Structure formats: structure tokens, C-alpha cells
Amino acid sequence: MQLLIIDALNLIRRIYAVQTTQHQDEASQLAATRATVEQVARKLLGQFTPSHVVAVFDGAPEGFRHRLFPDYKAGRPPMPGPLAAHMDELQQSLWQLGIDALLSDTDEADDLIATLANTLAAHRRQVTIISTDKGFCQLLNPWVRLWDHFNQRWLDSAHVQQQYGLAVGQLVDYWALTGVSGSGIKGVPGIGPKRAKSLLQQHGSLDQLLMAPAETRDEKTVHQHGSQALLARQLVRLVDDIELGFNLKDLRYRR
């Protein structure tokens, strides 16, 4: 079996952004968005021939990360009003193609995706995530893969090594050190990508870095801001133990 997970808002918002540059009026933008979403969904179904499929939407405006860090995603622009009002119709379009929608009032879409992916991977079932969000790279393993539809490429362990110079298992600690600007997550002041990579290549993990004697300036900086780095790691790491409340058979793809 193979589960195809579509990061729905990642896909839809990118498609909509293109349509707003190609069409003048709101109705045409939304109609073109819907048509393109359906076209892409059909292409993905044909490309990956999944036995199970689901489109995961973000239904939780605030979750545990906002409680831990009130500025989480504070600078991110909200979904355009016309697109938000059109979301039910887009979900209906996907449903008519045999793709059910999953969303939660309490959990973020990324955590729902992580829970689905790791649950199936634990049973040696193939999972393909459709998203450009590199945060999902932390989930990569022999059973979980990540496809960037817009650039037509796999975001795999080779991509991680090329992009970051680190192993998949070090990514969460890397982002804990550098922060994630798109989500408003602050890392360690003064520790950018090159220094974070060097520190992790030397120490292996954030935990080992914090346990080791602080000798260099960068090591002392991380020790000084250790609690900030640990908070950032908690915000960056995806949760994979959400109670989903449905059976996998509910996601079976029926043409």
C-alpha cells in the first residue's frame, strides 16, 4: 500500500498566488485556482497511483506552539479573504476526485501529517508527502518521502546533505540553533547556518553540545542561550502522536 498525503494549503496558496497575477477579477482568480488544483490533484494521483490518499488542511489557528511562544507565526500574512471563503468548494472539488480532507480544530496540519506518516512508516508502509515545506525533511526515512511538485524534485536525504551538510536526524537541532524566520522562531543569537552546521558536525547534536564544555565563542553563545535553543527545538519538532480518530481504510482511494 502507499499513502499519498497532500499538504493542501501549501499547494493551494501557491496556485492561488500565481492566478492572482494572471487574472484581474476575483471570480476568475478563484475559478482558475479551483481548476488548477483539480488538474494538479489528478496528475499526482496518476503519478503516484496511491492506494490511500488524503489532503490535510490547517484548521487550527492556534495550538500548543502559540501557548509556548505567543509570537509563533505572528509575522506570517493571513490567508487572503476570498481564498479562505472558497476553501469549502476546494475541499469539495478534491472530494469529488476521491481525496478526503483532514483538518483539526486543535492540531496543526504539519503535526497531523507527521502523525500519519510516522504511524504508517512504523508498519513499513510507503508514504509520499506532497509539499514544498522543508520542515517535513525531518520525517524522511526509507518509508517516508517528500515530493516538491512545483520544482518536480524529491526533497530527500541527498537534498538534505547538499542543502545543509547534515544528516536528516540533525535537522531539528540545526533549526533550533538557526531559528526559522518564516514561523517567527528565534534560534541562538549570532548562530547562522554555517556556524550551526559546524557545531553539529563537531558535536553531533544540540544535547551533546550543551553537555560539552564551552570552549569556543560559538559554544559559549549556545550555552548562554541554551533555554532559547531548547524552546526553538520544541517548536520546530513535529508532533507525531496525535489521536486521529479514524481508520486507515477511510482514506482508501476510490476512483
Side-chain angles (χ1 to χ4, degrees), residues 193-253:
K194 289 184 179 180
R195 289 178 174 176
K197 179 175 106 173
S198 177
L199 287 167
L200 290 172
Q201 286 176 337
Q202 180 181 350
H203 293 277
S205 71
L206 175 59
D207 290 330
Q208 290 173 319
L209 171 56
L210 291 173
M211 287 189 292
E215 297 174 349
T216 68
R217 184 179 66 179
D218 288 345
E219 290 170 344
K220 291 175 182 177
T221 299
V222 174
H223 277 236
Q224 182 182 353
H225 298 276
S227 59
Q228 187 168 320
L230 293 173
L231 172 61
R233 183 169 69 176
Q234 192 173 359
L235 297 171
V236 167
R237 178 176 285 143
L238 296 177
V239 174
D240 64 357
D241 59 356
I242 297 170
E243 184 62 45
L244 295 173
F246 61 84
N247 194 292
L248 185 61
K249 67 182 181 181
D250 297 329
L251 304 181
R252 179 171 291 281
Y253 173 51

Side-chain angles (χ1 to χ4, degrees), residues 6-133:
I6 300 173
D7 182 3
L9 293 191
N10 178 272
L11 182 75
I12 291 169
R13 292 190 68 163
R14 281 176 171 265
I15 290 173
Y16 177 76
V18 172
Q19 304 312 320
T20 58
T21 66
Q22 296 181 349
H23 301 275
Q24 298 255 333
D25 63 286
E26 180 182 302
S28 297
Q29 293 168 0
L30 293 173
T33 297
R34 181 171 181 171
T36 306
V37 167
E38 291 176 0
Q39 180 185 20
V40 170
R42 288 192 182 95
K43 181 177 181 179
L44 292 170
L45 290 170
Q47 180 177 353
F48 295 106
T49 60
S51 60
H52 297 70
V53 60
V54 64
V56 183
F57 288 78
D58 216 336
E62 293 191 1
F64 79 92
R65 292 182 180 87
H66 291 90
R67 293 189 289 273
L68 286 173
F69 184 60
D71 288 336
Y72 175 65
K73 291 186 176 179
R76 184 171 294 189
M79 185 186 302
L83 181 60
H86 199 62
M87 203 56 61
D88 286 346
E89 292 187 36
L90 291 170
Q91 290 178 6
Q92 182 69 15
S93 294
L94 292 174
W95 182 80
Q96 289 173 347
L97 294 175
I99 305 173
D100 209 346
L102 172 63
L103 68 162
S104 166
D105 293 332
T106 56
D107 300 296
E108 290 187 62
D110 291 1
D111 296 322
L112 295 173
I113 290 172
T115 297
L116 279 167
N118 284 350
T119 298
L120 266 72
H123 292 88
R124 296 176 177 269
R125 299 289 188 263
Q126 185 69 61
V127 178
T128 302
I129 301 170
I130 308 299
S131 182
T132 62
D133 186 347

Side-chain angles (χ1 to χ4, degrees), residues 129-144:
I129 301 170
I130 308 299
S131 182
T132 62
D133 186 347
K134 293 180 181 178
F136 290 123
C137 286
Q138 66 183 273
L139 302 176
L140 293 173
N141 63 49
W143 301 101
V144 178

